[in-house]
Every structure is written in C-alpha cells, then in structure tokens.
Amino acid sequence: MCETKLPAVPASARRKFLRGSGALAAAVTGLTSGAAVPAFATQPPKPHNVVTPDDAIARLMQGNARYVAGLMRRHDFASERETLSEGQNPYAALLSCADSRVAPEFAFDSVRGDLFTTRVAGNIASEEVTGSLEYAVSVLKVPLILVLGHDKCGAIDAALGAYAKGTMYPGSIQSLVQRIKPSVKKIDRTGPDPLDAAIAQNVLDNVSALRETSAILRESETKGTLKIVGGMYRLASGKVELIG
C-alpha cells in the first residue's frame, strides 16, 4: 500500500503536504509519470479497510442489510477525526445519483473514511467523475467501484421523455439527458416497466464506460485488485440489489 518510486520524504513533511491543497494535483502527476503516490504517510488510517474486492462487496451488502433492518451501528465520529486528518483509505468508491433520497453512507451503514463517493444526476461516468475514481483506485487503493442507480430516477425519466416525445429541457439539464439517451434507446419501451429497465441499463452502461474509457481502471481490474459492479437502490425498502 505504501510503496513508492519517489525519493524518500520525511513523514512529517508528507503529512503536511497531503493536508495541503496541492495533494490531488501532485498525486495525479505521479500517476501520469508512472510513480506510485502514497495516500498516507506510514500506515493506513483504517487498517480494517484494506480488503479484497470481494470482501468490499460483502461488507457493503452487510451494511445495507443492517440499514434495511433498522439495526444500524452507533458511530462515534469524534474519535476518528484525528486519524482521518492524516489521510484516507476507503474500502469502496461509489458513483451514485444526485438524489436527496439516496444517501450512500447511510444505505451501507458506513462512517467517514469508508466510502469515496461521487454523485451526479443519472450516475453518469463523466470525464470528471472518471478522473475522481481513477484517483481513488490508483492513489487510495480502493478495491471496489459501485455504480449505484435507484428506482424512480428523475434523470432517467427525463431521458425517456426526450427520446419518446422529443422533450427539451432548460439549461444544462439537456446535456445530462443527452448522456442518458443511449441507454434508453437500448431497452424495450413496450415492457411492463420501461423506467426501471432504463435505469438498470444506464447503470450497466456506465459500468462499461468506466472500463472502456479508463486504462487505469481497466488495468486494475485485469490485475484483480479492483472490481467494478452495478447496483440498484430501492427507495421504498432501502435495499440495494446488485445487477450485471
């Protein structure tokens, strides 16, 4: 986790550096030059978060089961602040929809430092989102990416309307809809629940997009250090179903 090809730097200096605003830029520079950049100075802030991709999936689903059952653990946020000020090593990364009803940290009964979460309407793997997830995998050593859609998604419903009726939306909403329309085109809109089908297809397409557009993520999956999976969050129950 902490190996690096860069010249040795005193631990105190590295800690100060990682606190600074230039940490992300330096990390990305290290990635493009082929050098590994440590996410923390000495050891992982959360050693129990160093897990395999399969273990990460199991941990997410166990947390979701507690959430669905209303048996969430009591979390002491105050005690972990100092540890997390030195760095982070989340055990999973999420690409989730920007919806107030879907809160990944709650849905998986997790605390700060456990999940690296990116959110955008329609859970679209944009260039900026993909870059953020590349950082999580290459620098923070996250072993799992979950693309998480949810039922009754307004962004997907808007794309259905745009495709079927030619509906146009104001401002930048239209650009989001355009990104989702290819998924809508693939489904059978005469089926019993075209919206649900479109949501699932959009999740699967964005899982594929992360693999196809990112050599960093693709190579990590090939090495077995990363898995990219899809999921659907059910608003009524809170249950997450893995798909794909």
Side-chain angles (χ1 to χ4, degrees):
M1 293 287 290
C2 296
E3 289 180 358
T4 178
K5 297 177 183 178
L6 297 176
V9 179
S12 59
R14 287 199 297 268
R15 285 195 293 269
K16 291 179 181 178
F17 172 75
L18 287 172
R19 293 193 195 104
S21 60
L24 175 59
V28 173
T29 301
L31 293 178
T32 57
S33 66
V37 180
F40 26 79
T42 54
Q43 65 178 355
K46 291 191 166 186
H48 58 283
N49 279 0
V50 182
V51 296
T52 67
D54 287 337
D55 288 341
I57 293 173
R59 185 169 166 186
L60 279 178
M61 300 312 292
Q62 289 164 5
N64 181 243
R66 294 192 301 272
Y67 172 71
V68 171
L71 300 174
M72 298 172 71
R73 294 170 175 169
R74 180 184 181 279
H75 300 297
D76 182 1
F77 296 104
S79 65
E80 66 187 6
R81 288 177 185 145
E82 183 176 356
T83 297
L84 290 176
S85 71
E86 299 297 327
Q88 59 173 319
N89 64 307
Y91 76 88
L94 276 78
L95 167 49
S96 176
C97 184
D99 190 296
S100 65
R101 300 167 295 178
V102 183
E105 288 77 11
F106 289 146
F108 296 106
D109 193 18
S110 299
V111 295
R112 293 180 308 167
D114 282 350
L115 303 181
F116 185 96
T117 304
T118 60
R119 304 189 69 174
V120 61
N123 37 273
I124 299 166
S126 66
E127 184 177 358
E128 295 81 5
V129 165
T130 301
S132 298
L133 294 173
E134 288 176 337
Y135 173 80
V137 170
S138 294
V139 179
L140 306 180
K141 307 303 180 186
V142 168
L144 175 69
I145 294 175
L146 172 63
V147 179
L148 184 63
H150 66 92
D151 57 0
K152 302 179 182 179
C153 179
I156 309 300
D157 196 30
L160 277 169
Y163 181 65
K165 305 174 184 177
T167 307
M168 297 293 292
Y169 299 94
S172 297
I173 298 174
Q174 185 65 21
S175 66
L176 285 170
V177 168
Q178 289 299 113
R179 292 290 301 269
I180 300 169
K181 280 175 67 175
S183 297
V184 171
K185 293 178 181 179
K186 295 179 182 179
I187 68 160
D188 179 7
R189 292 186 293 109
T190 64
D193 194 340
L195 176 56
D196 213 54
I199 292 167
Q201 185 63 56
N202 180 64
V203 167
L204 296 175
D205 286 348
N206 281 285
V207 168
S208 297
L210 289 174
R211 292 191 182 111
E212 293 168 4
T213 62
S214 172
I216 292 174
L217 302 183
R218 187 168 59 249
E219 290 168 5
S220 294
E221 268 208 309
T222 299
K223 292 176 183 177
T225 58
L226 172 71
K227 280 191 175 181
I228 307 174
V229 300
M232 175 86 81
Y233 178 89
R234 297 296 177 182
L235 293 172
S237 66
K239 184 176 181 180
V240 173
E241 303 165 357
L242 297 180
I243 59 177

